[in-house]
Amino acid sequence: LDRHRFDRQRQAVVTTGGRHAVTRLEVLEGFGTPPQVALAAFRLETGRTHQIRVHAAHIGHALVGDPVYGGARRPSAAALPPGAAAALAAFPRQALHAAHLGFRHPLTGAEMDFESPLPDDMAALLVTLRQG
């Protein structure tokens, strides 16, 4: 990843230069026929600015509600469960949540692990997407 060539506020995937960044992606559940939106788990091997958002957008699957990397692509309302397209369009923020964080404490070296449940607004969006 490196700064975007034209927009210095953004990051971009580059083939030369930049910093090494590795993101593992697992699609957990797809919604729509054919799938238009997915619930995905990301596992980071590196920690770069906007890493998840940049990599997801780079492969054509930007995060729901991402104003910077989201692009103009919109899921097909006809391929989604009733009300899902409206719920996606109305979602007020990035649909990104850190369910599990782990790292080694910089001073003690102790392994630190934290878990957080899915926020209510994202859980409600999943319920709407699953109605189909």
Side-chain angles (χ1 to χ4, degrees):
L1 295 181
D2 203 358
R3 294 237 179 247
H4 192 279
R5 282 180 47 196
F6 305 112
D7 183 349
R8 304 297 290 166
Q9 299 299 311
R10 295 176 57 179
Q11 298 290 314
V13 172
V14 295
T15 55
T16 59
R19 297 177 72 191
H20 181 70
V22 179
T23 304
R24 305 286 179 206
L25 164 66
E26 178 184 3
V27 174
L28 303 175
E29 195 172 352
F31 306 101
T33 307
Q36 300 291 304
V37 180
L39 174 63
F42 294 90
R43 183 172 180 84
L44 303 178
E45 292 185 19
T46 55
R48 306 288 181 232
T49 302
H50 300 183
Q51 181 173 328
I52 292 171
R53 298 166 63 197
V54 173
H55 281 164
H58 181 74
I59 63 169
H61 298 287
L63 302 179
V64 168
D66 188 339
V68 176
Y69 300 100
R73 182 183 176 276
R74 298 287 177 254
S76 167
L80 289 167
L88 288 165
F91 198 73
R93 63 183 184 88
Q94 293 174 43
L96 181 62
H97 172 66
H100 178 257
L101 293 173
F103 56 90
R104 187 179 308 274
H105 191 282
L107 298 177
T108 67
E111 290 292 331
M112 308 293 291
D113 284 299
F114 304 91
E115 292 191 22
S116 177
L118 196 62
D120 291 343
D121 61 346
M122 289 180 71
L125 180 59
L126 274 175
V127 167
T128 301
L129 289 169
R130 287 176 176 147
Q131 294 172 348

